[in-house]
Amino acid sequence: MSKTVPVGVSARHIHVSQEHVEILFGKGYELTEFKALSQPGQYAANETVAVIGSKGQFDKVRILGPVRPETQLEISMTDSFAIGVKAPVRESGSIEGTPGITIKGPAGEVTIDKGVIVAARHIHFHTSDAAKWGIQDKQLLKVRLSGDRGLVLENVLARVSDSFALDMHIDTDEANAAGARNGDTAEIID
């Protein structure tokens, strides 16, 4: 049985707390939806911010909603070098011991002391998909991306929940190395 999953390429983005939304955009401000994402209830917001590191900055970094308990910036390794922030590879939400950054919005700015990561490549599994394929939450998988620049990715983290939809998330560095695009498919091989 082939274990095929859709691929989603994740560009740099930021998740923000409500407290930081209000500092960046004004008291009582709420994010507005630009477009829905592959995971139920998740969306790309209309709002963007600038993120400022020791060597440079990125303007117009898209906020993903809804708000989160803690602010977290997800960048690629190439982005990490470009702005001078030594971001470790981490699972989303695992931000203890990570570097911080300054975030600037139209109404103000905030400097966080942690929260910058290179997101670990992962596959979101609905519980039923994981059960069908015998995959456990937090299991590390080996996945093949096909095509002219096809490659095999190791240490792909399985994330299993009733609230997830089947989708593999890789960053722009990984996608570029494989020549992969949103909507391509990958095969779990181990």
Side-chain angles (χ1 to χ4, degrees):
M1 167 177 57
S2 177
K3 299 175 184 172
T4 303
V5 297
V7 173
V9 179
S10 186
R12 76 178 72 103
H13 62 273
I14 191 166
H15 301 279
V16 291
S17 68
Q18 183 59 39
E19 175 190 1
H20 291 162
V21 167
E22 293 189 25
I23 292 170
L24 298 166
F25 294 94
K27 186 90 173 128
Y29 194 89
E30 293 187 17
L31 298 176
T32 59
E33 184 174 329
F34 171 65
K35 71 175 183 176
L37 299 176
S38 65
Q39 295 308 302
Q42 304 288 310
Y43 59 89
N46 286 299
E47 294 77 14
T48 62
V49 293
V51 295
I52 305 158
S54 64
K55 287 175 56 180
Q57 75 179 48
F58 295 123
D59 297 320
K60 298 188 184 211
V61 175
R62 180 81 53 195
I63 295 175
L64 300 188
V67 294
R68 296 243 179 128
E70 293 188 273
T71 295
Q72 170 182 294
L73 174 65
E74 296 183 29
I75 58 177
S76 71
M77 197 63 72
T78 300
D79 289 343
S80 180
F81 300 141
I83 62 172
V85 177
K86 290 185 178 183
V89 176
R90 293 283 182 86
E91 179 180 357
S92 183
S94 177
I95 61 171
E96 287 306 316
T98 62
I101 199 155
T102 298
I103 306 160
K104 186 173 183 179
E109 72 178 45
V110 63
T111 298
I112 56 174
D113 61 1
K114 64 181 178 183
V116 183
I117 67 167
V118 174
R121 51 186 168 240
H122 59 278
I123 301 175
H124 291 276
F125 291 91
H126 185 273
T127 309
S128 61
D129 292 316
K132 175 176 65 176
W133 292 340
I135 292 170
Q136 304 298 313
D137 189 40
K138 308 294 186 200
Q139 182 176 343
L140 294 178
L141 305 168
K142 189 183 290 188
V143 180
R144 178 182 294 120
L145 294 165
S146 298
D148 291 342
R149 300 189 75 197
L151 54 80
V152 173
L153 297 174
E154 295 190 9
N155 302 318
V156 179
L157 181 66
R159 298 182 59 198
V160 180
S161 170
D162 285 338
S163 64
F164 290 159
L166 185 63
D167 200 29
M168 177 175 171
H169 290 170
I170 57 175
D171 70 22
T172 52
D173 286 350
E174 294 160 327
N176 289 339
R181 296 187 174 152
N182 281 319
D184 285 355
T185 58
E187 182 183 7
I188 300 167
I189 56 175
D190 188 21

